[in-house]
Amino acid sequence: MLEQWDIDQAICVSHTSKENTVLRSGISPEKVFMVPNAVDTAMFTPSPKRLSCDEIVIVVISRLVYRKGADLLVEVIPEVCRLFPKVRFIIGGDGPKRVRLEEMREKFSLQDRVEMLGAVPHAQVRSVLISGHIFLNSSLTEAFCIAILEAASCGLLTVSTRVGGVPEVLPDDMIVLAEPAPEDMVRAVKKAIDMLPGIDPQVMHLRMKKLYSWDDVAKRTEIVYDRAMQSSTTNLLDRLPRYLTCGSWAGKLFCIVMIINYLLWRLLEFLQPAEGIEEVPDIGPLHAQLDSRDNLCEAEEKRI
């Protein structure tokens, strides 16, 4: 159990991740806080010109590995192309499963409808995203999935597997969830295509600016660190023998690292004493909080 090593506070990026951490590690729930990831909305902006729906482009940007559901894509893409002649795919990313996708493209003669970009540098991700209407995430496990935030910030409607913390990330009108099974993912893609006429990329981008701000994430993270600094901890001399039990070499290494960390912490504490501690706003999904706030504003306006 991790708690035997005197964990003061822990941060998880979703409530699902928090539940798993508490169950698997034995850490007290009061010591675990949910602070989500965020997105740089200044970098990930929609295309100034709204794309035509005469041809629908589905974008996939992911490492092409088993955990990211590359095998699901091999089955989903041919069926979507069969059902929707005006749909084409852009796939960015590299990995051991890329060969399977290329074989699929050859087998079903989809060279003109499935574009393989290979690895995409992060600085070029936005230019790929804004060329599409729908972002497809086929992950088998995810604690959060920042890629979904980046796509939504660029105005893309998301289709994703219902795994891990993904259902917490976006409001229902910005994402279509599916079980990690080919037939259900095809159904979700069909639903997303039907929803596209009602999607306004600029409005979606503005909503993301309100939902996920790195400034807010930084403030909430700082609060957790302050709480950890004020927690009563076991004396370093009492803790070192515990690390020695980790192995003949690893134990000694852990002790050295802990001593260095302790000295650095003392130095920082001397240079900048901790101030008062605030309560961590451990709320539910941010989109639920924002929707509630908007409803209150609308009610107030009607009353006036």
Side-chain angles (χ1 to χ4, degrees):
M1 294 293 192
L2 285 178
E3 195 161 23
Q4 68 175 309
W5 302 113
D6 302 313
I7 299 296
D8 294 315
Q9 312 289 330
I11 294 176
C12 295
V13 293
S14 65
H15 286 93
T16 299
S17 180
K18 174 179 176 177
E19 291 174 5
N20 289 336
T21 299
V22 171
L23 289 173
R24 297 180 181 182
S25 67
I27 300 176
S28 170
E30 288 74 22
K31 292 185 176 183
V32 184
F33 298 92
M34 198 288 286
V35 180
N37 289 311
V39 62
D40 184 354
T41 53
M43 177 178 182
F44 291 95
T45 58
S47 172
K49 184 178 180 182
R50 188 165 181 171
L51 298 178
S52 168
C53 288
D54 293 338
E55 179 186 56
I56 296 173
V57 178
I58 299 177
V59 177
V60 177
I61 300 182
S62 169
R63 288 183 292 111
L64 302 180
V65 297
Y66 174 79
R67 188 184 75 80
K68 289 294 186 176
D71 296 297
L72 278 175
L73 294 176
V74 171
E75 299 186 56
V76 170
I77 291 174
E79 184 64 11
V80 171
C81 289
R82 184 184 70 81
L83 293 173
F84 305 100
K86 65 177 183 178
V87 169
R88 70 181 181 90
F89 286 82
I90 297 177
I91 301 177
D94 205 351
K97 295 291 184 178
R98 178 176 177 176
V99 175
R100 286 209 64 197
L101 287 164
E102 291 176 339
E103 290 174 348
M104 172 272 295
R105 188 171 64 162
E106 295 292 328
K107 177 180 178 180
F108 294 95
S109 301
L110 296 174
Q111 293 88 342
D112 59 336
R113 298 183 63 186
V114 180
E115 183 180 358
M116 303 285 293
L117 300 179
V120 180
H122 192 254
Q124 298 177 19
V125 169
R126 184 239 174 204
S127 63
V128 176
L129 288 172
I130 63 173
S131 63
H133 302 79
I134 296 171
F135 180 77
L136 179 59
N137 172 57
S138 58
S139 295
L140 302 181
T141 62
E142 284 288 357
F144 187 85
C145 194
I146 294 181
I148 290 176
L149 296 189
E150 294 173 348
S153 184
C154 288
L156 278 72
L157 179 62
T158 295
V159 173
S160 176
T161 44
R162 186 186 286 106
V163 296
V166 170
E168 303 176 29
V169 177
L170 294 175
D172 292 341
D173 60 338
M174 296 172 68
I175 187 170
V176 181
L177 296 170
E179 298 303 320
E183 61 277 4
D184 203 39
M185 292 190 67
V186 172
R187 174 204 58 81
V189 170
K190 181 182 184 303
K191 181 178 179 181
I193 291 173
D194 294 338
M195 291 172 60
L196 278 179
I199 299 297
D200 187 329
Q202 299 296 335
V203 171
M204 188 177 290
H205 175 73
L206 292 176
R207 292 177 69 186
M208 294 302 295
K209 288 182 71 173
K210 294 180 180 179
L211 288 171
Y212 291 104
S213 161
W214 277 119
D215 288 339
D216 177 62
V217 168
K219 291 175 182 177
R220 294 173 65 176
T221 302
E222 185 178 13
I223 292 172
V224 178
Y225 272 70
D226 285 341
R227 288 174 64 95
M229 294 287 288
Q230 293 298 313
S231 299
S232 57
T233 58
T234 307
N235 186 282
L236 178 64
L237 294 178
D238 294 331
R239 297 172 66 181
L240 289 179
R242 301 180 184 180
Y243 295 109
L244 288 173
T245 63
C246 294
S248 57
W249 289 103
K252 294 181 178 67
L253 177 61
F254 291 164
C255 284
I256 293 173
V257 171
M258 285 304 300
I259 291 171
I260 294 174
N261 284 342
Y262 179 80
L263 293 175
L264 179 60
W265 169 59
R266 283 299 186 184
L267 175 62
L268 293 175
E269 187 180 51
F270 173 77
L271 294 176
Q272 186 174 2
E275 298 178 358
I277 305 296
E278 301 178 47
E279 279 298 315
V280 180
D282 193 9
I283 59 176
L286 293 185
H287 58 77
Q289 186 78 359
L290 183 64
D291 290 343
S292 175
R293 189 188 312 156
D294 291 343
N295 291 337
L296 289 174
C297 291
E298 290 177 5
E300 184 66 19
E301 290 176 357
K302 289 180 181 178
R303 187 180 66 81
I304 295 173

